[in-house]
Amino acid sequence: MRQMVGDFHRRNVRVLFPIKPWDVGTRDEGEPMWVTWAKILKEIDGDGLKWGCNHCGWTGGWKYAVRPSHVTTIAENSRAAFPLQLWRETVSAPGTLAERYLELRQLSLPERHEDVLRFHAACPFGPGARHPCLVALFRDVKTNEPRAIHRTALTPDGRKIDRKALGPKAGCAIKMTPDEDVTEGLSVAEGIETALAGMALNFRPMWALGDANAVAKFPLLSGIECLTILVD
């Protein structure tokens, strides 16, 4: 293999190897896949990797560098972009299974829901699985930058199958109320449903944090004098 790569290099041709990063197989190398690939590329003098999914459209790649930690960082950056790509594929929630799911729980979409709760008709939900999903956007609590998504997978009649987060959500919140409307007080909850139920009882402004650990680690925010925590 190294000889073949060398032949291409002598003709000024880079050699990228196609992989399926979601297909980990049954062999455990005892380390992250990206580190294993870095070692392989170093051994054969390869230039990098390329990947693409025919189902969800995720494409990407990275150029090999001698330091595996550097290669891992590039790969992680590509993976971090995937949740936001799925967010861009979503549509407005009214009239979809996402709204139907909330109605079955006697909940409604909040004002300005377009920026926080949307619908994906066939969202990736684990290896080889796709489901209609209510999709929520996690934003950094301090910078407001989009970071991750929360997916609630739904049956064809709008009932919950399961829920999963995707992306780096530490230090983030699902901001049911935008930053500009958060002044002296703030209410937070773990889940989306609890947050919406609280909003129906006039607990506003409201953010959902995703889980109990995020509630426990919620930072002090400048200007917030009163924090109300809604428990599930």
Side-chain angles (χ1 to χ4, degrees), residues 80-88 90 113-118 125 134-152 163-179 188-193 195 206-215 218-219:
F82 184 52
L84 300 185
Q85 176 182 322
L86 293 180
W87 175 255
R88 289 190 293 270
T90 59
H113 55 81
E114 293 277 357
D115 296 330
V116 64
L117 296 177
R118 293 174 66 84
F125 204 80
L134 168 66
V135 182
L137 181 64
F138 278 103
R139 292 181 178 271
D140 188 289
V141 296
K142 294 183 177 180
T143 68
N144 205 40
E145 289 295 317
R147 297 293 186 198
I149 60 173
H150 181 282
R151 300 157 295 167
T152 303
R163 54 169 67 98
K164 293 181 181 181
L166 182 65
K169 65 184 184 67
C172 295
I174 299 168
K175 297 183 177 182
M176 303 295 185
T177 305
D179 281 4
V188 298
E190 288 184 39
I192 294 169
E193 297 84 355
M206 173 66 73
W207 292 354
L209 303 182
D211 54 51
N213 185 54
V215 174
F218 190 72

Side-chain angles (χ1 to χ4, degrees), residues 99-116:
E99 186 175 45
R100 174 60 177 161
Y101 165 71
L102 296 177
E103 289 174 345
L104 289 172
R105 303 191 63 141
Q106 299 184 358
L107 300 170
S108 58
L109 291 164
E111 296 178 5
R112 298 158 73 175
H113 55 81
E114 293 277 357
D115 296 330
V116 64

Side-chain angles (χ1 to χ4, degrees), residues 64-86:
Y64 168 70
V66 174
R67 299 180 300 279
S69 60
H70 175 66
V71 176
T72 304
T73 299
I74 297 173
E76 288 173 349
N77 287 342
S78 297
R79 293 173 63 187
F82 184 52
L84 300 185
Q85 176 182 322
L86 293 180

